[in-house]
């Protein structure tokens, strides 16, 4: 792990969480949190959902929603 630089006072500066100010990452993390909660934080349920995902059906549904 890389040591943190010291300030003139000798204190270590507070690190901010990567992406904290990035609205796209914030939205992505919110979706990820919702998916995890919906699956009861079970990796098995997440894997099952991923394996059952139908890309073609999702694309067709989205096209219908936007009217193309």
């Amino acid at each position: 792990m890389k040591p943190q630089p010291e300030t003139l006072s000798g204190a270590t500066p507070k690190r901010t969480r990567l992406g904290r100010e990035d609205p796209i990452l914030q939205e992505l993390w919110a979706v990820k949190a919702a998916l995890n909660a919906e699956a009861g934080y079970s990796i098995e349920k997440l894997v099952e959902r991923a394996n059952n995902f139908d890309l073609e059906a999702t694309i067709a549904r989205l096209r219908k929603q936007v009217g193309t």
Side-chain angles (χ1 to χ4, degrees):
M1 186 169 161
K2 185 177 177 182
Q4 292 212 351
E6 291 188 12
T7 61
L8 292 177
S9 67
T12 302
K14 185 178 179 182
R15 292 183 69 190
T16 59
R17 193 172 96 195
L18 181 64
R20 184 178 210 107
E21 303 300 323
D22 186 331
I24 294 172
L25 282 178
Q26 291 298 312
E27 185 173 349
L28 180 64
W29 288 331
V31 170
K32 177 185 152 303
L35 290 171
N36 286 334
E38 185 180 294
Y41 304 96
S42 166
I43 190 68
E44 290 84 8
K45 288 181 183 179
L46 289 169
V47 168
E48 181 181 349
R49 182 174 180 169
N51 286 336
N52 291 329
F53 182 73
D54 184 345
L55 180 60
E56 295 301 321
T58 301
I59 291 172
R61 180 179 48 83
L62 292 173
R63 283 189 175 144
K64 186 175 181 180
Q65 288 177 352
V66 297
T68 60

